[in-house]
């Protein structure tokens, strides 16, 4: 095992640790007067996704966050941050509402993946994610997503089709968990550390692959300046997006260019 | 038994084994395949003659080229984007070699073929995924080909017919694969917003990132009988929840019951159904 291998998997461990800031911490740290809105109006209220209205300084915004919880009890209640289809449908309802009232949308993503269960399949997990991907691509209001911990596959992407995507320094973003990858490829989930290195899932990797715009440094994460810094960035970027008459075209092209093969460049 | 033949005179054609029933008198050396449903051994030629189905109704998997010849009008298919092939964006261990082996074994360069074709006289854009190429997994090339096809269809105002079969996003291309879900969905959305028709046929198995993107985004969604369609894998669900899965879980019929597909479409009548649906949507622009 080489040094690089250890590093990628160490970041996975940090990203998963229960001591990290969760969605609620970011909402409290950045916004004022958060008011939570519940339910997808179709089936239920998903406890893994929190959404609502808040002030970003002077401006009302729609905030959506995947919440994992800090301790065992909270984590059980939040389904370990694994949303059911109703969670994605609630998020979409709030985004559509934001579009109607011309509010920007800010998403905080922290999930090991969409919930894996019988009920989730019966209620169309795949469809729920697919609909979010489609609708977010044409949502006519600025959308910014920040990956704060784990960015697990389709379950994370369903809140990350945005104009700007940022990752915290110790967040990860991956198509499959390193354990899952190791067990499929090498029939051995204990090789997760090797898989983590192969998958290029750290914030630095995502930046160099052109998947995200910026890495948010965690050097001052335990100080109040940290949230102030994120707040300032959000305000500046929303202002820039508001001025962009081609915002939706740019959002489309942002994803369109990823994975163009050699012949197409 | 041959010596008894002269004693037994067939009264009609049926008794004599039917007319031109050549595949029935199978060559003893012909390879057979056992149907997982009725457990009968069937000669390959008979399976092929019946669009890869067993007489009991079981649908075997089908390669993309085979499907192409079965669904399109003869000679009408014009393949596109053949120069788009996967690179190895992560330099993932063993991926380049894997691609080479799979290409040699499957005779395909990628897990989807795209182009224009006529189905029952109706012109359309068509993509068919290939189960024999890394189980139809979606990497950058699959995403790029499908996105390009939808963009072409939007520009030319044509309907799209898509056959999905996939294990999901291709993990060897990591985040680049994951982003193909958003990319293809964006192209489907533009096609849809332009008022154009998209028909998907879900075939066995359609799972993961493909289910969670363009497979479920059709205006009309058909599924082949018995096809497994889902997001998370059944075994993974069983392991994580430690619950026994209900009978027929994630099968096409289960999806129909829960309201996620419009109809189950047996192969036997599929071409006529697809061409009828295309015709029904050809009123406006989608000619």
């Amino acid at each position: 095992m080489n040094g690089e291998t250890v590093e990628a998997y160490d970041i996975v461990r940090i990203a998963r640790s229960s001591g990290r800031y969760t969605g609620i911490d970011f909402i409290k740290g950045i916004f004022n007067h958060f008011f939570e809105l519940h339910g997808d109006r179709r089936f239920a209220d998903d406890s893994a996704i929190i959404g609502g209205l808040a002030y970003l300084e002077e401006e009302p915004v729609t905030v959506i966050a995947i919440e994992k919880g800090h301790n065992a009890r909270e984590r059980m209640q939040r389904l370990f941050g694994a949303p059911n289809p109703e969670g994605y449908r609630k998020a979409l309802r709030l985004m559509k509402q934001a579009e109607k009232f011309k509010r920007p949308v800010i998403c905080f993503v922290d999930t090991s993946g969409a919930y894996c269960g019988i009920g989730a399949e019966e209620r169309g997990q795949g469809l729920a994610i697919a609909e979010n991907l489609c609708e977010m691509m044409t949502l006519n209001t600025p959308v910014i997503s920040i990956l704060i911990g784990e960015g697990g596959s389709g379950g994370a992407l369903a809140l990350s089709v945005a104009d700007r995507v940022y990752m915290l320094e110790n967040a990860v973003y991956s198509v499959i968990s390193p354990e899952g990858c190791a067990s499929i490829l090498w029939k051995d989930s204990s090789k997760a550390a090797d898989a983590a290195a192969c998958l290029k899932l750290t914030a630095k990797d995502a930046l160099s692959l052109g998947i995200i715009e910026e890495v948010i440094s965690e050097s001052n994460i335990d100080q109040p300046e940290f949230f102030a810094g994120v707040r300032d960035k959000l305000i500046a970027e929303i202002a820039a997006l508001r001025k962009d008459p081609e915002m939706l075209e740019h959002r489309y092209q942002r994803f369109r260019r990823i994975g163009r093969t050699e012949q197409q460049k | 038994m041959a010596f008894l033949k002269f004693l037994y005179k067939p009264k009609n054609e049926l008794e004599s084994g039917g007319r031109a029933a050549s595949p029935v008198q199978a060559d003893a050396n012909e390879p057979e395949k056992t149907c997982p449903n009725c457990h009968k051994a069937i000669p390959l030629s008979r399976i092929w003659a019946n669009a890869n189905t067993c007489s009991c109704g079981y649908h075997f998997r089908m390669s993309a080229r085979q499907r192409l010849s079965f669904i399109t009008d003869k000679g009408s298919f014009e393949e596109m984007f053949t120069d788009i092939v996967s690179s190895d964006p992560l330099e993932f261990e063993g991926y380049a070699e894997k691609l080479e082996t799979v290409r040699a074994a499957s005779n395909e360069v990628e897990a989807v073929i795209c182009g224009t074709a006529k189905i029952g006289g109706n012109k359309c854009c068509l993509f068919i995924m290939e189960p024999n190429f890394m189980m139809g997994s979606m990497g950058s090339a699959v995403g790029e080909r499908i996105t390009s096809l939808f963009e072409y269809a939007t520009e030319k105002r044509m309907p799209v017919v898509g056959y999905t079969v996939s294990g999901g996003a291709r993990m060897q291309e990591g985040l680049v694969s994951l982003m193909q879900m958003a990319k293809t969905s964006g192209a489907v959305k533009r096609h849809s917003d332009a008022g154009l028709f998209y028909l998907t046929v879900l075939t066995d198995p359609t799972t993961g990132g493909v289910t969670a993107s363009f497979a479920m985004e059709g205006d009309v969604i058909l599924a082949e009988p018995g096809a497994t369609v889902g997001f998370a894998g059944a075994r993974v669900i069983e392991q994580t929840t430690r619950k026994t899965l209900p009978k027929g879980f994630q099968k096409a019929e289960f999806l129909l019951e829960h309201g996620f597909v419009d109809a189950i479409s047996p192969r036997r009548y599929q071409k006529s159904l697809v061409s009828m649906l295309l015709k029904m949507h050809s009123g406006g622009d989608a000619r």
Side-chain angles (χ1 to χ4, degrees), chain B residues 224-240:
Chain B
E224 285 198 334
T228 298
V229 180
F231 177 63
R235 229 176 323 137
V236 182
I237 296 175
E238 206 160 36
Q239 279 163 9
T240 31

Side-chain angles (χ1 to χ4, degrees), chain A residues 70-85:
Chain A
H70 286 290
N71 51 45
R73 199 179 56 87
E74 278 176 20
R75 290 203 155 188
M76 289 284 279
Q77 192 229 329
R78 298 292 179 190
L79 300 173
F80 298 87
N84 269 301

Side-chain angles (χ1 to χ4, degrees), chain A residues 121 200 249 252 256 258 261, chain B residues 85 90 151 190 231 250:
Chain A
E121 296 293 318
K200 304 251 161 67
E249 176 63 23
Y252 183 81
R256 182 67 188 85
I258 300 171
T261 40
Chain B
V85 293
L90 306 190
E151 287 177 339
R190 286 191 162 188
F231 177 63
Q250 291 185 331

Side-chain angles (χ1 to χ4, degrees), chain B:
Chain B
M1 295 291 275
F3 70 97
L4 284 176
K5 258 197 175 158
F6 72 93
L7 289 173
Y8 168 74
K9 284 209 175 81
K11 285 193 219 63
N12 54 37
E13 253 181 12
L14 265 181
E15 279 194 13
S16 65
R19 195 187 326 183
S22 49
V24 179
Q25 296 148 3
D27 172 356
N29 298 319
E30 195 189 328
E32 292 179 331
K33 208 169 175 177
T34 309
C35 169
N37 184 45
C38 66
H39 307 290
K40 271 188 207 138
I42 324 154
L44 280 186
S45 65
R46 185 123 60 102
I47 297 179
W48 290 340
N50 290 322
N52 269 22
T53 58
C54 173
S55 55
C56 74
Y58 181 81
H59 283 52
F60 289 95
R61 285 177 189 167
M62 209 173 190
S63 79
R65 299 280 163 194
Q66 223 179 338
R67 218 174 253 292
L68 191 68
S69 63
F70 142 80
I71 195 75
T72 58
D73 299 352
K74 206 171 175 193
S76 70
F77 183 70
E78 283 171 40
E79 194 167 352
M80 293 162 78
F81 318 121
T82 48
D83 57 338
I84 302 174
V85 293
S86 268
S87 55
D88 184 3
L90 306 190
E91 290 164 5
F92 197 99
E93 195 188 313
Y95 180 43
E97 298 84 69
K98 170 103 189 170
L99 276 178
E100 247 170 66
T101 339
V102 171
R103 278 180 189 144
S106 67
N107 246 333
E108 294 289 344
V109 289
E110 254 313 323
V112 68
I113 52 178
C114 296
T116 58
K118 276 186 181 168
I119 298 176
N122 303 284
K123 197 137 193 341
C124 64
C125 286
L126 176 70
F127 72 83
I128 305 179
M129 300 184 81
E130 172 58 69
N132 301 319
F133 195 100
M134 300 182 80
M135 194 33 88
S137 66
M138 171 162 65
S140 54
V142 172
E144 185 66 31
R145 283 184 178 199
I146 288 173
T147 305
S148 304
L149 186 74
F150 273 95
E151 287 177 339
Y152 177 86
T154 309
E155 194 196 313
K156 303 279 180 201
R157 302 202 62 79
M158 284 167 74
V160 176
V161 175
Y163 278 82
T164 61
V165 49
S166 182
R170 192 176 295 168
M171 61 189 170
Q172 289 91 337
E173 293 187 35
L175 279 175
V176 177
S177 296
L178 185 66
M179 294 304 133
Q180 304 309 308
M181 290 169 63
K183 182 164 114 179
T184 51
S185 297
V188 173
K189 184 71 165 48
R190 286 191 162 188
H191 182 258
S192 174
D193 286 351
L196 301 170
F197 180 57
Y198 172 32
L199 171 71
T200 52
V201 186
L202 313 178
T203 74
D204 188 57
T206 298
T207 59
V210 168
T211 303
S213 60
F214 58 85
M216 297 304 281
E217 290 163 0
D219 296 296
V220 173
I221 304 178
L222 304 176
E224 285 198 334
T228 298
V229 180
F231 177 63
R235 229 176 323 137
V236 182
I237 296 175
E238 206 160 36
Q239 279 163 9
T240 31
T241 60
R242 298 202 183 87
K243 279 183 192 149
T244 328
L245 301 177
K247 204 164 171 256
F249 183 64
Q250 291 185 331
K251 295 290 171 200
E253 296 74 12
F254 173 94
L255 268 88
L256 181 72
E257 193 188 319
H258 286 89
F260 293 102
V261 299
D262 290 294
I264 308 283
S265 167
R267 256 173 229 160
R268 205 167 160 192
Y269 312 108
Q270 205 170 76
K271 184 171 178 178
S272 56
L273 177 58
V274 169
S275 59
M276 183 189 82
L277 287 168
L278 281 172
K279 195 152 185 245
M280 281 179 156
H281 289 85
S282 62
D285 279 295
R287 244 181 293 271

